[in-house]
Amino acid sequence: MVLAVIIGCEIGFWILLGLGLASRYLWGMRRLSTALLLAVPLLDVVLLIASVIDMRGGAQADWRHGLAAAYIGYSIVFGHRTITWADAKFAHRFAGGPEPWRPPPGGMARARYEWGIWLRIVLAYGIACALLFGLILIVGDPSRTTALIAFMAGALKIPLIAVLWPLSYTLFPKKVGVAGDSGD
């Protein structure tokens, strides 16, 4: 059940986002657009409730419950940023808006940008772990929740691998601008 809800929430995210942006830029219905975009975080609440109901109903925890927590953590940390990115792209493409913002091409500005992304990844991981610890406490039966601890340990690979990007931009900054300009 939890996997189906995760898939439904992801599909719902893109449907609400698409309809919200179309309502704003194509149909000129700003109130409807705002309502649709404000409904996006409710999908996380639905997923959280579904996970708790599933576990409280006696389910054995597995990777799907971990994935639900990871999805919520990602959504909390990167959801607004994703909506802002899509809004800028949509406005540029369909409403004559300005060129969307792009990350710095190189230099230490790009390294700082990459470190910011990595810190967000760490925060998303932390939120997912907090949700999983909460689920473990709610269930109160270690024999049913050991998979959640294993999921947290396995998911730690994500921030550990992701640190390679900011490190590479810090240690080997790409030159930008005119010849000899380091982009700093």
Side-chain angles (χ1 to χ4, degrees):
M1 170 188 92
V2 173
L3 187 58
V5 175
I6 293 170
I7 293 168
C9 286
E10 182 65 12
I11 292 168
F13 171 83
W14 291 105
I15 289 172
L16 287 173
L17 180 58
L19 288 173
L21 296 176
S23 296
R24 176 172 294 170
Y25 296 111
L26 300 179
W27 308 321
M29 303 171 80
R30 189 135 180 104
R31 277 188 172 172
L32 176 60
S33 170
T34 300
L36 290 168
L37 294 175
L38 287 174
V40 169
L42 296 177
L43 296 171
D44 294 339
V45 174
V46 168
L47 181 55
L48 182 60
I49 290 169
S51 296
V52 170
I53 288 171
D54 191 45
M55 289 300 299
R56 297 278 297 179
Q60 183 76 22
D62 62 17
W63 64 271
R64 290 174 283 243
H65 297 93
L67 182 61
Y71 179 92
I72 293 169
Y74 177 89
S75 181
I76 289 170
V77 175
F78 288 99
H80 184 265
R81 186 181 189 100
T82 302
I83 291 171
T84 302
W85 167 83
D87 183 60
K89 290 281 206 183
F90 207 94
H92 178 67
R93 173 87 164 95
F94 296 107
E99 180 85 20
W101 178 86
R102 292 177 186 228
M108 290 315 293
R110 180 60 182 248
R112 282 188 296 278
Y113 169 80
E114 295 295 335
W115 281 111
I117 295 294
W118 182 76
L119 288 173
R120 286 179 178 90
I121 291 169
V122 171
L123 179 59
Y125 173 76
I127 290 169
C129 289
L131 290 170
L132 291 173
F133 279 124
L135 199 55
I136 290 168
L137 290 173
I138 287 170
V139 171
D141 182 357
S143 68
R144 289 182 33 227
T145 58
T146 56
L148 301 180
I149 299 292
F151 184 89
M152 285 186 262
L156 181 58
K157 294 174 191 166
I158 295 169
L160 293 177
I161 292 169
V163 77
L164 296 176
W165 276 264
L167 273 176
S168 69
Y169 278 99
T170 301
L171 298 175
F172 310 105
K174 179 181 170 189
K175 302 274 186 200
V176 293
V178 294
D181 182 10
S182 67
D184 293 344

